[in-house]
């Protein structure tokens, strides 16, 4: 009988990876993340560019912020959002590149 030494991932790692892929599985979040790869944006600017309500954008940004995919900084009365996890963004860009060259 073959004896293999298997390496298994910790449950937290598996859950974290699955959650990040889940974040990338939503079309709106893909649009927001891709936009943020090009420029830092306020909620209002994202809403305007993606033709969404500010409340819908805020909801998605809150989700992305919890996963530490985006971060924000306060400028005056508003928050400016940008990318917080370059590794996940690289995966996103690779998937976009793959889709464009299929």
């Amino acid at each position: 009988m073959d004896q293999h030494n298997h390496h298994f991932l910790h449950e937290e790692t598996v859950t974290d990876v699955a959650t990040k892929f889940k974040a990338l599985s939503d079309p709106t979040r893909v649009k927001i993340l891709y936009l943020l790869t090009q420029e830092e944006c306020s909620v209002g600017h994202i809403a305007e560019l993606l033709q969404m309500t500010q409340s819908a954008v805020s909801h998605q940004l809150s989700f992305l912020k919890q996963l530490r995919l985006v971060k924000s900084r306060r400028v005056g009365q508003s928050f400016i959002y940008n990318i917080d996890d370059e590794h996940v963004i690289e995966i996103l860009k690779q998937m976009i590149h793959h889709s464009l060259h299929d």
Side-chain angles (χ1 to χ4, degrees), residues 9-19:
L9 297 170
H10 291 284
E11 259 330 286
E12 330 156 328
T13 304
V14 172
T15 302
D16 186 55
V17 169
T19 302

Side-chain angles (χ1 to χ4, degrees), residues 4-94:
H4 294 287
N5 288 328
H6 295 287
H7 179 263
F8 295 101
L9 297 170
H10 291 284
E11 259 330 286
E12 330 156 328
T13 304
V14 172
T15 302
D16 186 55
V17 169
T19 302
K20 294 217 165 101
F21 272 114
K22 180 182 169 190
L24 295 177
S25 73
D26 180 90
T28 300
R29 291 193 287 263
V30 169
K31 289 176 188 176
I32 290 170
L33 287 169
Y34 186 68
L35 175 59
L36 292 175
T37 66
Q38 299 168 66
E39 63 176 317
E40 295 183 320
C41 293
S42 66
V43 173
H45 189 58
I46 295 169
E48 185 184 320
L49 290 173
L50 299 182
Q51 299 180 334
M52 297 171 59
T53 65
Q54 286 196 17
S55 122
V57 170
S58 290
H59 176 75
Q60 296 298 347
L61 285 169
S62 172
F63 181 79
L64 293 169
K65 198 171 179 183
Q66 282 180 324
L67 295 177
R68 294 190 310 275
L69 297 180
V70 301
K71 59 187 173 187
S72 65
R73 61 186 169 81
R74 190 179 197 105
V75 177
Q77 294 297 317
S78 55
F79 287 94
I80 304 299
Y81 287 84
N82 56 34
I83 298 300
D84 195 19
D85 188 330
E86 289 299 330
H87 297 105
V88 173
I89 296 309
E90 266 316 302
I91 293 168
L92 175 65
K93 286 179 176 177
Q94 287 177 20

